[in-house]
Amino acid sequence: MRAAAISMPRLNKMPGMFFSASPKDSKEHSHSLLDDKKQKKRPKTFGMDVKTYLRSMIPHLESGMKSAKSKDILSAEEVMQWSQSLEKLLANQSQNVFGRFLKSEFSEENIEFWLACEDYKKTETDLLHNKAENIYKAFVHSDAVKQINIDFHTRESTAKKIKTPTPTSFDEAQKVIYSLMEKDSYPRFLKSNIYLNLLNDLQANTLK
């Protein structure tokens, strides 16, 4: 018994990571150690940079693509105007609905790139270089995670422009993608169930 009594104080003086006040404290301490290691050994890889950019700068189309949410903020009149032109479609709160349609066709990178370009044009001068590089890596580079469908000349031209970036560095590529959506995806969108069902539901609610 005397030996046990002597050993107890020694155990209490062991490092807290083995004998913490509570399991919660132990978990928090171990998590902080892991976080510190991750920060010290954070890999500066191409893939990680692009993933970070896509999470932080590209609108999360998936999070707002539910038609129920769209019905809360859209009117039948607004949705009817989408059929007038792609410009009308992209001019208001329609990107989530159109993005949902493009996602169903596995071409959501087009609207994401277009939106990224719109955001880029509003960027402060001292931040242009970093943002231009991220957009290029995410969408334009030949190994881009969400590579857009542009011709070789436009791809090369854009690569040169971002070396000394200006607010118009992506204008050429953005116009190509706009034209592609206008001629290809946009007409199909107007005939899709995503658009027609939304319009019908809004019109029915208007009549109530």
Side-chain angles (χ1 to χ4, degrees):
M1 292 298 290
R2 182 177 298 173
I6 293 173
S7 61
M8 286 304 292
R10 293 179 181 175
L11 289 174
N12 288 336
K13 292 180 180 179
M14 291 294 286
M17 64 183 291
F18 293 106
F19 294 95
S20 58
S22 68
K24 181 178 180 181
D25 292 337
S26 177
K27 288 181 180 179
E28 290 178 351
H29 184 70
S30 61
H31 279 312
S32 65
L33 290 175
L34 290 173
D35 291 340
D36 290 341
K37 290 181 180 178
K38 287 180 181 178
Q39 290 177 358
K40 292 177 182 178
K41 298 182 179 180
R42 183 178 296 168
K44 296 182 178 180
T45 62
F46 168 77
M48 286 298 293
D49 290 341
V50 171
K51 286 180 181 178
T52 301
Y53 172 70
L54 291 173
R55 284 197 300 267
S56 62
M57 303 182 74
I58 301 301
H60 289 280
L61 298 172
E62 297 167 357
S63 65
M65 288 177 187
K66 296 181 180 180
S67 58
K69 183 177 180 180
S70 299
K71 292 172 193 174
D72 292 336
I73 59 176
L74 295 169
S75 68
E77 184 179 355
E78 286 177 307
V79 174
M80 286 181 68
Q81 289 178 358
W82 296 355
S83 63
Q84 295 176 11
S85 68
L86 178 59
E87 184 178 3
K88 287 277 188 180
L89 173 63
L90 297 177
N92 53 39
Q93 303 172 27
S94 63
Q95 292 96 340
N96 286 339
V97 181
F98 188 47
R100 181 167 157 242
F101 169 74
L102 292 179
K103 186 175 179 63
S104 73
E105 293 200 333
F106 305 100
S107 59
E108 67 269 24
E109 70 278 357
N110 292 330
I111 186 64
E112 290 182 0
F113 173 70
W114 188 88
L115 289 169
C117 291
E118 290 296 292
D119 175 70
Y120 173 79
K121 293 174 186 177
K122 305 170 187 175
T123 303
E124 296 178 7
T125 304
D126 58 336
L127 300 175
L128 281 176
H129 181 77
N130 185 56
K131 189 172 285 190
E133 191 172 289
N134 283 330
I135 293 175
Y136 178 78
K137 288 179 179 179
F139 298 103
V140 184
H141 192 277
S142 57
D143 293 324
V145 175
K146 295 193 173 185
Q147 188 187 80
I148 52 173
N149 184 17
I150 56 177
D151 58 273
F152 176 80
H153 171 75
T154 303
R155 202 178 302 278
E156 289 296 302
S157 175
T158 304
K160 292 177 182 178
K161 289 175 182 177
I162 68 165
K163 291 180 180 178
T164 53
T166 67
T168 62
S169 294
F170 292 98
D171 280 9
E172 184 181 0
Q174 187 182 18
K175 287 177 182 177
V176 172
I177 293 304
Y178 182 92
S179 179
L180 181 65
M181 291 192 294
E182 185 176 41
K183 295 176 181 178
D184 187 34
S185 304
Y186 175 61
R188 289 201 301 275
F189 169 72
L190 296 178
K191 298 176 182 178
S192 70
N193 288 334
I194 290 175
Y195 175 70
L196 295 176
N197 289 344
L198 174 61
L199 179 59
N200 290 336
D201 288 350
L202 289 171
Q203 288 176 331
N205 289 336
T206 302
L207 296 174
K208 290 180 179 178

